[in-house]
Structure formats: structure tokens, C-alpha cells
Amino acid sequence: MAQTLTGKKIAILVEKGFEQVELEKPKAALEEAGAQTHVISPQSGKVKAWDMTDWGKEFDVDQDLKTAVASDYDALLLPGGVMNPDYLRANEQAVAFVRAFNDAGKPIAAICHGPWTLIEAQAVSGKKMTSWPSLRTDLTNAGANWVDEEVVTDNGLVTSRKPDDIPAFNKKMIEEFAEGKHDRA
């Protein structure tokens, strides 16, 4: 893959219980494209993944959410898993961090249950999106146009449904992150 993201700094926001493959594969694709990635979390030191049906690996936290600043980053990745976005959407700092990316028009990629945090950050109204099927009603009630497609892009917002969609998700995420800011007005 071409180094299309050289010089870009990408925030990956997670809490305990994120879906392991939804961090590992997109993070590797971003780095292969030349981006510098930072795992940001309310957890200190390490944060534990969920691996399909049980706890997975622990990952190093590069930046504590308490000290992370959205303006230091070019784009945001939100992995899914059920626990992870549920914890994040209840965390005021996490919601403010996500909202700052949206308000600045910076690209955001969210997979599976990741859009739950976008709903709380008021970043979905009027957007065409997809997600894990159980979020359909939540997204629709928040004003999104939910569709059942492997990857959906809307003005710098990239969403996918599940781990099987990761190849398409990674391709569109890199494309949107390379484009940079989008006018979301």
C-alpha cells in the first residue's frame, strides 16, 4: 500500500472490551499507509480487548484520555465491541473528544458498535451510516439514515457493520483520512 497517510497522526479511542480485531487490523492498515497511531483510553497503561467470545490481549495505551487533545490528531478511529462504546458514551471526556473531531470536520471511522459513541457526541444526524444491526434503531432515532452495507462513507464519516467488513472498511478509512477535513455544515 502506498504511503498515503505519511505525516498523519491518528487517534484510536478505546475502553476495555473493544473488539480486538477491530483495533488490530485497522491500526496495522493505517500504519502500513504511513500514519502514526495512538491508542487513547481512559484506562492507564494497558487496555484489555474482547476477542469474539472471551477476553483477548492487553494493548498499550499511548495517551491517557485525560490529557489527549483532538487538535493534536488528523483523524479518529472508533473500534467496536459491545462494552467499549457503551463505556465511552457514558464518559463525558470521551464524548467531548469525539465531538471535537466532528466539529472540526476531521475524518472519523467507526465499526460495529462504534457509532454508539458518535450518537452521544451528536455526530450522526443527517448522515448515511451503517453499523452492527442492533444499532439500527438507535442510529435512526438519532437522525441517521441507516443502511445495511459493508462500508458507508458520508462526508468524512466511514462506518462498517462487523469484522468481516474490515477489508472494505480499511480501504475507505484510509481514503477518507488521506483527504483530510470535510465540511460537515
Side-chain angles (χ1 to χ4, degrees):
M1 181 175 289
Q3 295 287 298
T4 56
L5 297 180
T6 300
K8 300 270 186 182
K9 194 171 169 185
I10 312 301
I12 304 172
L13 181 62
V14 294
E15 231 311 355
K16 62 185 172 228
F18 62 91
E19 188 62 52
Q20 185 168 306
V21 70
E22 294 173 1
L23 178 138
E24 281 182 323
K25 288 189 176 184
K27 182 178 189 295
L30 289 166
E31 291 170 354
E32 185 178 322
Q36 178 185 9
T37 63
H38 283 176
V39 173
I40 298 170
S41 179
Q43 301 294 318
S44 297
K46 295 196 181 284
V47 61
K48 195 166 189 87
W50 187 259
D51 190 9
M52 299 294 186
T53 59
D54 204 352
W55 289 105
K57 297 188 228 174
E58 287 189 326
F59 290 79
D60 290 332
V61 173
D62 299 308
Q63 179 81 41
D64 190 303
L65 178 61
K66 289 178 186 149
T67 59
V69 180
S71 61
D72 291 344
Y73 297 93
D74 298 294
L76 174 64
L77 169 61
L78 296 169
V82 178
M83 289 176 267
N84 166 55
D86 199 35
Y87 288 132
L88 288 174
R89 68 184 177 157
N91 180 315
E92 290 180 23
Q93 285 181 313
V95 172
F97 188 71
V98 172
R99 187 177 294 128
F101 279 88
N102 186 64
D103 291 351
K106 293 181 179 184
I108 300 170
I111 188 167
C112 195
H113 288 76
W116 261 346
T117 311
L118 292 170
I119 292 169
E120 200 64 34
Q122 300 173 342
V124 305
S125 184
K127 302 292 182 230
K128 182 179 177 185
M129 299 177 70
T130 195
S131 66
W132 185 256
S134 66
L135 273 66
R136 177 184 185 158
T137 300
D138 296 341
L139 284 164
T140 302
N141 287 343
N145 173 20
W146 189 90
V147 295
D148 185 12
E149 297 174 13
E150 75 176 348
V151 65
V152 175
T153 305
D154 187 334
N155 209 14
L157 178 62
V158 180
T159 52
S160 280
R161 303 169 300 187
K162 57 189 173 186
D164 290 346
D165 298 337
I166 289 175
F169 177 73
N170 286 349
K171 182 179 177 190
K172 282 296 185 184
M173 172 182 61
I174 290 167
E175 184 180 299
E176 292 298 309
F177 286 10
E179 286 179 13
K181 288 186 178 184
H182 291 70
D183 180 14
R184 293 207 178 98

